[in-house]
C-alpha cells in the first residue's frame, strides 16, 4: 500500500495526492503535521528516502531560520528538530514497497509508482 505524508495546505502535496488518487492504487494519507512521526519513524523514513536529515528540512521555513540556521547540528539533532517542528519536513513524501521519494515532481511520482 502507498503512504503519502501530506499537508493539505500545500499545493504540491495536494497535487501529488490527486495524482495518487487517480492511480486507483490503495493508499493511506498520513497527516504528518498532526500525526507527527516519532524520532525512530523519521529515521526509518530517511533511510527509505536515502537522504541525510538536512536534505529533508525545509530550510526556508521561519522556524528553521530563527532557531537552527547556522548552528552546527548533528544528524540526530536535525531529526529531533523535525519531530518537534513537523512543518520543517519536506512534503509530500510518498512511500511504497519499502522505498520513498519526495513527491514534488509528478513525473518522478509516476515513475516511482510503476
Amino acid at each position: 500500500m502507498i503512504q503519502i505524508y501530506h499537508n493539505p495546505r500545500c499545493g504540491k502535496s495536494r497535487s501529488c495526492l490527486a495524482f495518487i488518487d487517480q492511480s486507483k492504487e490503495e493508499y493511506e494519507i498520513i497527516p504528518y503535521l498532526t500525526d507527527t512521526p516519532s524520532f525512530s519513524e523519521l529515521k526509518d523514513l530517511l533511510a527509505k528516502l536515502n537522504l541525510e536529515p538536512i536534505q529533508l528540512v525545509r530550510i526556508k521555513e521561519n522556524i528553521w531560520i530563527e532557531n537552527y540556521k547556522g548552528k552546527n547540528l548533528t544528524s540526530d539533532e536535525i531529526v529531533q528538530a523535525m519531530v518537534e517542528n513537523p512543518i520543517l519536513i519536506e512534503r509530500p513524501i510518498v512511500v511504497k514497497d519499502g522505498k520513498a521519494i519526495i513527491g514534488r515532481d509528478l513525473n518522478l511520482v509516476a515513475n516511482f509508482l510503476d
Side-chain angles (χ1 to χ4, degrees):
M1 176 190 299
I2 298 168
Q3 294 177 310
I4 177 170
Y5 287 77
H6 176 61
N7 176 352
R9 296 188 68 185
C10 172
K12 293 281 187 185
S13 194
R14 288 192 308 269
S15 295
C16 184
L17 179 58
F19 183 83
I20 290 171
D21 191 50
Q22 291 175 356
S23 77
K24 306 296 185 204
E25 290 193 52
E26 243 183 90
Y27 63 90
E28 172 189 13
I29 298 171
I30 300 171
Y32 71 93
L33 293 177
T34 55
D35 187 10
T36 307
S38 69
F39 184 89
S40 62
E41 289 169 332
L42 203 49
K43 292 279 277 196
D44 184 55
L45 194 55
L46 284 160
K48 289 175 183 173
L49 287 161
N50 195 29
L51 294 176
E52 293 297 319
I54 193 63
Q55 294 175 291
L56 190 59
V57 173
R58 295 176 55 83
I59 60 173
K60 293 183 181 177
E61 286 288 338
N62 284 336
I63 291 172
W64 182 262
I65 293 166
E66 294 168 5
N67 298 297
Y68 303 103
K69 184 178 179 181
K71 293 185 178 178
N72 190 15
L73 302 172
T74 65
S75 291
D76 284 351
E77 289 170 329
I78 295 169
V79 171
Q80 188 60 40
M82 289 187 282
V83 169
E84 293 171 7
N85 305 281
I87 194 70
L88 294 176
I89 300 171
E90 186 61 78
R91 74 264 181 163
I93 300 170
V94 180
V95 181
K96 181 180 180 187
D97 299 331
K99 295 183 180 178
I101 63 164
I102 296 173
R104 298 184 66 77
D105 180 336
L106 295 182
N107 290 326
L108 291 177
V109 175
N111 290 336
F112 181 72
L113 296 179
D114 281 344

